[in-house]
């Protein structure tokens, strides 16, 4: 299977993008896949959550996008076997201004991915099975770059009021990118996050999303779970921090489901 590059995106903050990137990436690696996470958020939370302190982020995704640094030069190992990361830092907040006069500003990340694919095909670098791009909580130049350079978008969607409203805005952006920049971009799937079985609203949102998206919505639902929110403070994915907690078990199921979806896509 060739590398599948997936943007984990939703312009709303606090929906579980970084939690999903870290823990889905960890679960995929545990299942034997070689995975790269690209931290595209100026807060650098995916980097922190995987134990990469700011002092060790010599090269970041900023350097990849602005200075055309090869992906492999900015990649760092994590404490998880087969899981790697291109860190992010506060410099990413300046990308919009830095690229404002560049006619190819929306293609910087795609250029980096094209260079990676060429190097992987020629054996210069060992290929990844999955590259997950942890996007910022906005429909900024970085998110557009990610969508332009990715094969698909994975949307974490919180089971809360107004979730569908935010989702419609994201879908319009996907349509714009597909029409103008990346005609092959697709919705890989929607992941329901922060599900609270005690809250009837969670069930209603889940039902509405499934009615709208059908099979695109993962059967696996990520529950509200304090261990998921605690783990980044220890620089670990939840799957290392507490692999038996409901959140960790959900991400293991999600990884299995994603792998199966990808097998079916390739076979189709």
């Amino acid at each position: 299977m060739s590398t599948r590059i997936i943007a984990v995106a939703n312009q709303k903050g606090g929906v579980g993008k970084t939690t999903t990137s870290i823990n889905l990436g960890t679960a995929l690696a545990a299942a034997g896949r070689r995975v790269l996470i690209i931290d595209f958020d100026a807060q650098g939370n995916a980097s922190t959550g995987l134990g990469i302190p700011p002092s060790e982020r010599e090269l970041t995704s900023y350097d990849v996008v602005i200075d055309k640094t090869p992906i492999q030069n900015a990649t760092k190992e994590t404490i998880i076997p087969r899981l790697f990361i291109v860190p992010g830092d506060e410099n990413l907040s300046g990308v919009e201004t830095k690229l404002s006069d560049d006619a190819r500003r929306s293609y910087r990340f795609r250029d980096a991915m094209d260079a990676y694919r060429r190097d992987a095909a020629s054996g210069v670098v060992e290929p990844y099975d999955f590259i997950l791009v942890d996007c910022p909580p906005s429909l900024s130049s970085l998110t557009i770059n990610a969508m332009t350079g990715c094969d698909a978008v994975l949307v974490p969607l919180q089971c809360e009021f107004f979730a569908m409203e935010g989702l419609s805005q994201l879908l319009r952006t996907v349509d714009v990118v597909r029409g103008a920049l990346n005609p092959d971009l697709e919705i890989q799937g929607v992941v329901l996050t922060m599900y609270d079985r005690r809250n009837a609203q969670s069930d209603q949102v889940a039902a509405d999303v499934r009615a709208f998206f059908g099979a695109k919505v993962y059967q696996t639902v990520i529950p509200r779970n304090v261990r998921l929110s605690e783990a980044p403070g220890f620089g670990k994915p939840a799957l290392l921090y507490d692999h038996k907690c409901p959140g960790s078990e959900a991400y293991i199921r999600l990884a299995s489901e994603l792998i199966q979806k990808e097998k079916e896509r390739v076979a189709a």
Side-chain angles (χ1 to χ4, degrees):
M1 183 180 75
S2 62
T3 304
R4 183 72 159 161
I5 307 174
I6 301 173
V8 182
N10 188 327
Q11 78 279 8
K12 288 176 69 68
V15 301
K17 289 186 296 295
T18 299
T19 298
T20 295
S21 298
I22 290 172
N23 290 293
L24 176 58
T26 299
L28 289 169
R33 272 48 179 192
R34 196 164 186 270
V35 183
L36 175 66
I37 293 174
I38 298 180
D39 189 345
F40 243 24
D41 190 348
Q43 297 177 83
N45 288 339
S47 308
T48 302
L50 284 169
I52 311 295
S55 60
E56 295 181 12
R57 302 175 200 178
E58 299 88 357
L59 293 171
T60 70
S61 55
Y62 175 88
D63 300 286
V64 172
V65 172
I66 298 300
D67 297 329
K68 302 183 179 180
T69 299
I71 285 285
Q72 60 267 31
N73 291 7
T75 298
K76 300 189 76 70
E77 293 184 353
T78 73
I79 54 176
I80 312 297
R82 294 180 296 277
L83 180 64
F84 303 81
I85 187 167
V86 174
D89 65 10
E90 69 275 3
N91 289 326
L92 288 164
S93 61
V95 164
E96 199 97 33
T97 303
K98 198 83 172 176
L99 295 180
S100 59
D101 296 328
D102 186 345
R104 284 186 55 80
R105 58 185 173 274
S106 297
Y107 294 94
R108 289 299 191 102
F109 182 65
R110 177 191 278 185
D111 292 344
M113 289 295 93
D114 287 346
Y116 152 76
R117 288 188 195 272
R118 288 193 298 270
D119 287 344
S122 61
V124 173
V125 298
E126 188 176 351
Y128 297 99
D129 296 299
F130 294 98
I131 295 178
L132 305 178
V133 186
D134 184 30
C135 293
S138 65
L139 296 176
S140 63
S141 177
L142 279 169
T143 301
I144 300 301
N145 254 275
M147 290 185 182
T148 303
C150 284
D151 302 312
V153 179
L154 179 67
V155 186
L157 189 72
Q158 81 279 30
C159 293
E160 295 177 357
F161 197 56
F162 292 136
M164 289 292 284
E165 183 179 294
L167 182 59
S168 63
Q169 186 180 357
L170 178 69
L171 293 178
R172 285 194 295 271
T173 302
V174 170
D175 284 341
V176 169
V177 171
R178 189 185 288 133
L181 301 167
N182 182 3
D184 297 324
L185 183 68
E186 60 187 48
I187 299 291
Q188 198 280 340
V190 177
V191 181
L192 295 167
T193 63
M194 303 181 184
Y195 177 81
D196 185 347
R197 57 186 175 80
R198 300 165 301 178
N199 188 337
Q201 189 180 92
S202 283
D203 285 329
Q204 186 58 56
V205 170
D208 290 347
V209 173
R210 292 190 190 282
F212 187 82
F213 278 103
K216 284 288 185 185
V217 184
Y218 278 90
Q219 291 302 309
T220 301
V221 174
I222 310 301
R224 279 198 178 279
N225 180 223
V226 68
R227 303 304 244 179
L228 288 177
S229 55
E230 286 177 351
F234 294 86
K236 294 179 179 180
L239 278 80
L240 273 191
Y241 180 62
D242 183 354
H243 72 278
K244 292 185 177 180
C245 75
S248 294
E249 292 178 343
Y251 276 111
I252 291 168
R253 292 193 300 273
L254 180 66
S256 177
E257 200 176 340
L258 185 147
I259 289 168
Q260 184 58 37
K261 272 180 179 277
E262 289 300 317
K263 285 180 179 177
E264 292 169 0
R265 180 189 61 83
V266 171

